[in-house]
Every structure is written in C-alpha cells, then in structure tokens.
Amino acid sequence: MRVGATVLLFDQQCIQSYEWNLKRPLGKLQGIIDSLEEYHCDEVAIIRPVKNDDNFELFKKDIEVVKQLSCMTPISFGGGVRTLEHLKLLKGLPIERLIFSSAFLEKNEKLILAAKKLFGHQAIQCLLPIIIKSNEIQVYNPSTNDYMTLDSVDTQFINTLANEIILFDTEHEGMNDSFDWLILKNIPFDHNKVIVSGGIGKGDVKKAKQNKIASVLVDNKILHQEYSITGYKNAAKLS
C-alpha cells in the first residue's frame, strides 16, 4: 500500500484546508514538495480546490507554478481540468497522473478519453469528494458548487474509465484519525482501485491496509513533525 499526501494549490500558493472550507496559507509549492521528498513520500496529489468560479487565466497561472517544479516523487494533478484546452496545457508537466472530478460526474467521456490518449489509462484518477448526510452518501460536484446523491452518479462509467478512485472525506479533512469508513462500505468500487483521503491518521492507515486499499493520502498536516510520513509508513507495517 502506498502512503502519500495531498497538496492544495490555490492562487499559486499552497494552503491547508479544514472541512472543505477554511483555508490557511502553507507557502510555496516547491518548498512543500521538497519537504515531502525528505519524508520519502510515495506520491503527491496536487489539487486545485476550485469551484464554479474558476477560470482559464487562473488555471494557467497555477500551471506555470507546477511547470517549474523539480521533483522525483510521482505527482498527480487535478482541479479545474474541464476542457481540451485545459488538457493541452498539461503536456510536458512533471506529472504522472491526472485527477478528474466534474468530468466523471458529468460523464465528459471526450475529455477523459483524450487524457487517456495523452497519458495512458493507468494515469487517470477520479476524485469523489464525499460527505454522509442523514445516512446518505453525497458527492460534491465542483462545477456546480453543490452536492449530488451517489444514486445520481454513474459509478459504472467511473469504474470503466478510471484506473483509481480517490474517496475524499470532506467533512473530516484536516482532522486526525477521523476518516468515515462507512464511505467505503457503500461505494461500489474494488478496494484495490481505491485511494482514501480526508482526516487520515495512523489508525486509518492500519485500517486501509487491512482493507487492501491501494493508497492513502494524508492532508497537508503531514508537514508537521508529529505527523511525519515515516510515522504513517510504520503504522502501515505494523497493521
């Protein structure tokens, strides 16, 4: 099982987010990546936490920051990749995987297939930001800035076109050992295709390994010494 981290990129700077809402500055992207490499992070998911107010100019500015990265760790990138023009800007970037959310929720097959042609099927990841309300799973759609019920999501479409699916617990983002494992029980995806994130602590790492999850992505709190990547990897070994 891989142990990685999420890095949120907002207005060319990294931020820490709590419960999918509160944002606190963390610093420049290269500095954050350097720290994660020192911790021997298995992978880094760079995500632009954008909603329906995103635009192409903001996207290009963030891409310029990513383009300048020097990094040996495998990187996934996503957030606001909604058209073929967005996709074209990603060619040549130091990234190995692409993360799509609204494209999967809105069944934009043309965009996903174009990405698959450019980067390969193994590079395509689907991000599902999830919350449980009244015992019902709801999925956040960034392009509408609203949640939709899981019943209205074509999970078969996702299963067919995504190599991996990131289940992101939005309610517990930024917390410790609080990922809601009821999410996993109610999502129709094979565990070996699933990545979990949002509130991941060392106890959650052990549960993820027991459930044969592909990877865990720890929130940006991993940059603090008490949450070092070494501790998470040791937790995985002990489970």
Side-chain angles (χ1 to χ4, degrees), residues 33-58:
I33 296 298
D34 289 345
S35 296
L36 291 173
E37 289 205 300
E38 289 179 8
Y39 291 157
H40 302 290
C41 201
D42 291 335
E43 61 186 323
V44 177
I46 300 175
I47 300 173
R48 300 176 65 247
V50 297
K51 300 180 180 179
N52 58 350
D53 57 351
D54 190 34
N55 62 60
F56 195 63
E57 290 305 312
L58 292 175

Side-chain angles (χ1 to χ4, degrees), residues 156-213:
Q156 184 57 47
F157 177 81
I158 294 172
N159 231 345
T160 300
L161 293 180
N163 185 54
E164 292 182 316
I165 300 99
I166 303 172
L167 304 180
F168 196 102
D169 184 350
T170 62
E171 186 175 18
H172 297 108
E173 179 192 28
M175 300 181 186
N176 187 48
D177 267 333
S178 56
F179 182 84
D180 193 337
W181 289 95
L182 288 175
I183 293 172
L184 193 67
K185 293 181 180 179
N186 293 284
I187 293 288
F189 302 122
D190 292 336
H191 288 189
N192 60 6
K193 290 184 66 171
V194 167
I195 298 171
V196 294
S197 188
I200 298 294
K202 294 174 185 177
D204 290 317
V205 172
K206 294 178 182 179
K207 288 182 182 178
K209 188 172 183 181
Q210 291 166 359
N211 281 280
K212 299 181 180 180
I213 298 298

Side-chain angles (χ1 to χ4, degrees), residues 78-161:
V81 184
R82 295 173 182 164
T83 70
L84 294 177
E85 291 302 311
H86 287 89
L87 189 61
K88 289 176 183 177
L89 291 180
L90 304 183
K91 294 172 64 176
L93 292 185
I95 58 177
E96 295 188 7
R97 301 184 184 98
L98 299 181
I99 302 170
F100 295 94
S101 187
S102 56
F104 275 105
L105 295 175
E106 297 171 359
K107 299 178 67 172
N108 189 341
E109 186 173 8
K110 182 178 180 181
L111 178 62
I112 296 170
L113 290 179
K116 181 179 176 180
K117 184 176 181 180
L118 283 175
F119 290 86
H121 175 72
Q122 76 288 344
I124 307 303
Q125 296 179 324
C126 171
L127 170 64
L128 296 180
I130 288 171
I131 192 170
I132 297 180
K133 290 184 177 181
S134 302
N135 296 318
E136 180 183 57
I137 289 184
Q138 297 186 19
V139 182
Y140 178 79
N141 187 343
S143 66
T144 62
N145 191 21
D146 200 4
Y147 284 89
M148 55 196 296
T149 64
L150 179 63
D151 290 342
S152 63
V153 176
D154 190 338
T155 54
Q156 184 57 47
F157 177 81
I158 294 172
N159 231 345
T160 300
L161 293 180

